[in-house]
Amino acid sequence: MENSERGTQTEFEVVRMKNGSRETLTVAVATEVPCTIDIKGAEAATLMCTPSHLKEFAVGFLFTSGMIQRADDVQSFSCDPIRW
């Protein structure tokens, strides 16, 4: 799953105050969702991330954490979208 139903950004209406003047505008803010990485059914970590490139995110985390030595160590990958 590359993108969630929510997308990688969400628009919010904000109020900006500058030199005593009030301005309302819409800004894009990165969306973050929890990503739980399971290894053989056991939870290894739950991290916040943008909902895109999740396989690369998970493999990079496993590598930098020392849990794998190379990407080929990952035998399978599945993404189960949760209720964001």
Side-chain angles (χ1 to χ4, degrees):
M1 176 179 177
E2 285 301 309
N3 294 306
S4 73
E5 293 174 14
R6 193 173 217 190
T8 57
Q9 63 184 22
T10 302
E11 290 188 349
F12 284 94
E13 188 173 288
V14 297
V15 176
R16 177 170 52 186
M17 299 297 291
K18 187 174 182 180
N19 298 326
S21 296
R22 176 187 168 120
E23 178 184 9
T24 301
L25 58 143
T26 302
V27 297
V29 178
T31 301
E32 286 191 328
V33 297
C35 176
T36 300
I37 299 172
D38 289 340
I39 300 174
K40 296 183 180 179
E43 182 177 325
T46 297
L47 309 161
M48 297 301 290
C49 64
T50 56
S52 65
H53 307 288
L54 295 175
K55 181 177 182 180
E56 292 83 354
F57 177 76
V59 171
F61 172 79
L62 294 170
F63 177 76
T64 58
S65 297
M67 295 182 202
I68 61 172
Q69 299 303 309
R70 58 186 188 277
D72 291 345
D73 291 343
V74 177
Q75 296 176 358
S76 67
F77 172 84
S78 65
C79 182
D80 182 14
I82 58 174
R83 297 172 284 295
W84 292 325

